Amino acid sequence: MKKLVAAVLTGVLVAGTLSTGVYAKDDDKTITVAASATPHAEILEEAKPLLEKEGYDLEVTVFDDYVRPNEVVESGEFDANYFQHIPYLDQFNEEKGTHLVNAGGIHYEPFGIYPGTKDSLDDLEDGDSIAVPNDTTNEARALLLLQDNGIITLKDGAGLNATVKDIAENPHNVEIVELEAAQVARVTGETAYVVLNGNYALEAGFSVGKDALAYEKSDSEAAKTYVNVIAVKEGNENSDKIKALVDVLKSDEIKDFINEKYDGAVIPFDDSADTEDAAAEETDSKDTDSKDEAKEDAAEENAETTEAAEDAE
């Protein structure tokens, strides 16, 4: 698990020290949030005027390490933080004995398949090579993306621990070229395609929104796992101020801001699909129950009719 966290952090967080200091106030109308500079603090700054309309004063403090933002929320100095995804949050709780919980998923930074020597997945041919990051977590995300696009099939259960050894079907006999994450973008002239996370794609001059041939969708396993969340101390997730913060960050105004500013390198996380699926399952269950009840009633009526007929005889 420690390897998982170390690998994952390279794509999401930036280590360092606390740059400014603000402490939580007793005022229920003030929301103090510890955040990474990009994109988290930028998104929060955009949310300030929206929260003001709701009667809240949002105070954002930028941290550039992974530890202090969780410590200041655990201690009660800050109401919330916005910098991490769920695997890191869970591991931090396990290692530090903290009691932090996810109050709402806001965005994710997607992996994408980008052009190398070929600029369309329709041009994929037998024996083509595809470069992917070689660290455990990022390689798994890359392989899952290739699977989602019908290029390979992984063994059942491989999930976010998948490696090339878990490839069960490879109908095009593609060669998976494993490279250190920062090197992947440098082989676009040598491999048919490359698989990159948003940060490396931008550094390589790719526009995520315009150049990605495919990318992780919001309902993908990776997006749901690595969604960046608002984290609070357990028991505070249902407070009015935290609900207001999450609602604003999930509003159409903030979604539009994210989409326009980050060109696909940061994507609003949409958990409505999960809600719809759950509602559909509940509806299906109710429909099934109703049908079963109708069948039972019909059976009882038939039995009563048969009995009446037998009695008449």
Side-chain angles (χ1 to χ4, degrees):
M1 186 64 180
K2 290 181 179 179
K3 290 182 179 179
L4 167 66
V5 172
V8 172
L9 290 177
T10 61
V12 179
L13 307 171
V14 181
T17 57
L18 172 63
S19 59
T20 58
V22 174
Y23 295 97
K25 298 177 180 179
D26 292 333
D27 182 4
D28 282 340
K29 292 300 182 180
T30 299
I31 308 172
T32 51
V33 182
S36 293
T38 304
H40 308 80
E42 295 169 349
I43 294 171
L44 288 167
E45 289 296 329
E46 189 70 15
K48 279 187 176 181
L50 298 176
L51 280 164
E52 283 180 9
K53 293 179 181 178
E54 302 294 325
Y56 292 97
D57 177 22
L58 177 61
E59 295 182 354
V60 181
T61 301
V62 174
F63 288 72
D64 53 9
D65 77 294
Y66 319 145
V67 178
R68 285 285 291 153
N70 277 338
E71 290 179 340
V72 294
V73 173
E74 175 72 14
S75 69
E77 296 171 44
F78 282 71
D79 295 313
N81 64 47
Y82 179 30
F83 77 100
Q84 66 193 320
H85 48 56
I86 296 170
Y88 180 74
L89 174 64
D90 290 343
Q91 181 65 18
F92 193 94
N93 280 332
E94 182 180 335
E95 291 187 350
K96 304 293 186 180
T98 46
H99 310 84
L100 306 173
V101 297
N102 166 21
I106 308 304
H107 81 265
Y108 69 102
E109 297 166 22
F111 262 61
I113 303 174
Y114 294 89
T117 59
K118 296 185 175 180
D119 57 12
S120 171
L121 292 179
D122 293 336
D123 297 333
L124 178 68
E125 296 177 313
D126 284 358
D128 277 345
S129 57
I130 302 175
V132 304
N134 64 2
D135 58 277
T136 303
T137 301
N138 287 327
E139 181 172 58
R141 290 181 73 176
L143 294 175
L144 284 167
L145 184 56
L146 294 177
Q147 176 176 252
D148 288 343
N149 286 276
I151 297 172
I152 60 173
T153 301
L154 298 170
K155 295 176 183 176
D156 288 343
L160 293 164
N161 294 311
T163 69
V164 292
K165 295 180 180 178
D166 294 303
I167 297 176
E169 296 178 21
N170 187 355
H172 296 285
N173 297 309
V174 297
E175 177 191 358
I176 304 297
V177 180
E178 301 171 279
L179 299 171
E180 195 275 326
Q183 303 300 317
V184 175
R186 300 181 182 180
V187 297
T188 54
E190 304 166 33
T191 60
Y193 310 99
V194 296
V195 187
L196 304 166
N197 67 15
N199 290 341
Y200 284 124
L202 290 175
E203 288 177 13
F206 284 120
S207 163
V208 182
K210 297 181 180 70
D211 298 321
L213 305 178
Y215 57 84
E216 291 170 339
K217 299 298 189 288
S218 61
D219 60 352
S220 68
E221 182 177 359
K224 292 176 182 176
T225 301
Y226 295 106
V227 56
N228 281 215
V229 303
I230 292 295
V232 301
K233 189 165 185 178
E234 186 175 9
N236 295 333
E237 61 269 28
N238 292 317
S239 69
D240 289 342
K241 64 165 64 175
I242 296 302
K243 284 184 175 180
L245 174 63
V246 172
D247 285 347
V248 164
L249 291 175
K250 296 178 79 67
S251 68
D252 289 339
E253 291 90 339
I254 296 300
K255 288 179 180 178
D256 289 344
F257 168 77
I258 291 173
N259 288 328
E260 291 170 10
K261 182 174 179 63
Y262 300 106
D263 196 26
V266 180
I267 294 179
F269 179 68
D270 184 5
D271 48 14
S272 61
D274 292 339
T275 304
E276 288 171 5
D277 288 344
E281 287 178 8
E282 185 177 348
T283 300
D284 289 343
S285 176
K286 288 180 179 178
D287 288 344
T288 300
D289 290 343
S290 297
K291 289 176 182 177
D292 289 343
E293 288 176 7
K295 287 180 181 178
E296 289 175 5
D297 291 342
E300 288 177 4
E301 289 177 6
N302 288 337
E304 289 173 359
T305 302
T306 302
E307 272 183 25
E310 288 175 351
D311 290 343
E313 289 178 353

